[in-house]
Amino acid sequence: MYPKSLEKVIENLTKLPGIGPKSAERIAQFILRMDENELNDLIESIKNLRNKIKYCKICFNLTENEDICEICKNPLRDKSTILIVEEIKDLIRIETLGYYSGVYHVLGGHISTSGKIGINDLTINELEQRVKSGEIKEVIFALSPQWEGDMTKEYIKKILKKYNIKITSLARGISGATYLEAIDDSSLLQALEDRKEEI
Amino acid sequence: MIIKKLKIITFRNIEELEIDFIDKLNIIIGENGSGKTNILNSIYYLSTGSTMFSTKESELPKFPNSSFFLGGSFNRDTEDIKIEIIFKDKRKIISINGKPISGLRELVGVIPIIYFNYRTKDLILREPEIRRDFLDNYISIMDKEYKKLIMEYQDLLTVKNSALKKLKDDRGNFYYETLLSTVNEGMYEKGILIQEKRDSFINKIKEKIIDFGFKDIRIDYEPKVITLQELNKIKSDEIERGFSLLGPHLDDIFFNRRGVDIKVLLSLGEIEELSLYIILSLWFIFYEKLKTEPIFLLDDLFETLDNNKIENLINLLYNLRQVIMTSFDKKVIPVELIKNSSTFFLNRI
Ligand SMILES: Nc1ncnc2c1ncn2[C@@H]1O[C@H](COP(=O)(O)OP(=O)(O)OP(=O)(O)O)[C@@H](O)[C@H]1O
Ligand SMILES: [Mg+2]
Ligand SMILES: [Zn+2]
């Protein structure tokens, strides 16, 4: 048995993904012998990560030091069009195209069928609040082209039905691609341009 | 389709075993508990990626091991197919020709197989769930889309039941009501397709069973048909009960003679015989659909049916491409059959 405080560190480290008891033991031993300044640096940077990186209060993109992200703050972006994605990585993917000029909404996944993600775990209420505010003219769905993504879309469409907005969806034809990541730039661009109005 | 070679390492009671099979008849002989059924189970598992009778995979490694290996060399026309399953650290890796597959669906239609054993009669004797499993397992062997539909439908059912429970505590909650109607639409769409496929599958079995001479046996599919109106009608009932009351997850098959359940009409031997012919009908259904002869695993035939019934069956067996059967005693097997087959003797380990 190690002294209590060392055990505690090992126990906490094993909670990290990919770190088993053996690695945790090794890391803890290493920390014990680490240079004081280096250690403080490490602790500080981890703390900062949590304090400084936040989710944008509007769209749930990541931001540093601010409540509102760069995209939502940008006066040149069209605030009346919202593109709905499942994950931040999807947002980044579409941003790299440099074509889309509206804003986003990150759901945080799709309704999960294993029962792990329910409607309350997604940012659907926040999306509804944005639409309710009345400034929104169009929402565009860019969810994963699997049936879970479809079901999530159908659900949100029903929620937003009572608001008088245009609802569109990325054009399909990107067959075979399971996630936005797997779609090449030009097909994604095409899908965005050819987006279809949902009924 | 035939299996040419089977290799087993620490699976069930088998430490290590390699068997070569021939085209046509193979008979595995060994006393009770020697591992005959385990060998057939291993071939079924290799072919489908799923265990029979929902045996837990953690129970498959030979005690006290925690891993096992199964390898099969199959042959279809001129094509050799190698399937391997490694089970280790509570996970299985299945590979086809050395390439790991990413989902069980990739195995669908590759090795058509049918399996008769002492549990097959449960299809007639026991609860509806067993008949649904029978449909799901065997339709999945030949139909990729069916397998996908079933998996998605099952997922939707989970979401629906959780929405119903939420609504029970929070009547009229707009969000869960909306989720429920979204899920209902999905289950309706998939449910119809599942039931169409089940219906046509059962119809094919029916035809074949009549061909086999069971003229007065009726096999009636009893689908719990979904309509959106009906779903609306029973909504409050479903919320009250907290689970879904309509859909293919509640389907059944009614085996009867002029409307009377054959459970109460036929003798146990007759029920065994009928269930064996139901399995045999699948041979023809798969052959027609997949254009390759399924492998037929036949456990304990001689211990199950009387000589007369076996006699009737043997000519049919000779016409199948490959049959792998078992018996605990060479003496109970007709001499003619032994002459025309390849036999293996298992020693109790
Ligand atoms: N995980 C396991 N590890 C070790 N032994 C096992 C395991 N699972 C099952 N067994 C043993 O395997 C034996 C059963 O083998 P099997 O059912 O294949 O026999 P069989 O030859 O078909 O017998 P029968 O003639 O009675 O049908 C039993 O003795 C059982 O205890
Ligand atoms: Mg047995
Ligand atoms: Zn934002």
Side-chain angles (χ1 to χ4, degrees), chain B residues 160 164 171 180 184 187 224-247 249-250:
Chain B
K160 172 161 177 177
L164 288 172
R171 291 283 167 143
L180 180 63
N184 273 344
M187 286 172 81
K224 276 266 191 189
V225 179
I226 308 189
T227 64
L228 290 173
Q229 295 97 297
E230 190 60 24
L231 276 174
N232 258 330
K233 232 194 281 169
I234 60 166
K235 192 170 92 179
S236 56
D237 217 17
E238 289 194 317
I239 292 171
E240 191 51 48
R241 306 272 287 272
F243 53 85
S244 164
L245 298 172
L246 202 60
H249 60 290
L250 298 168

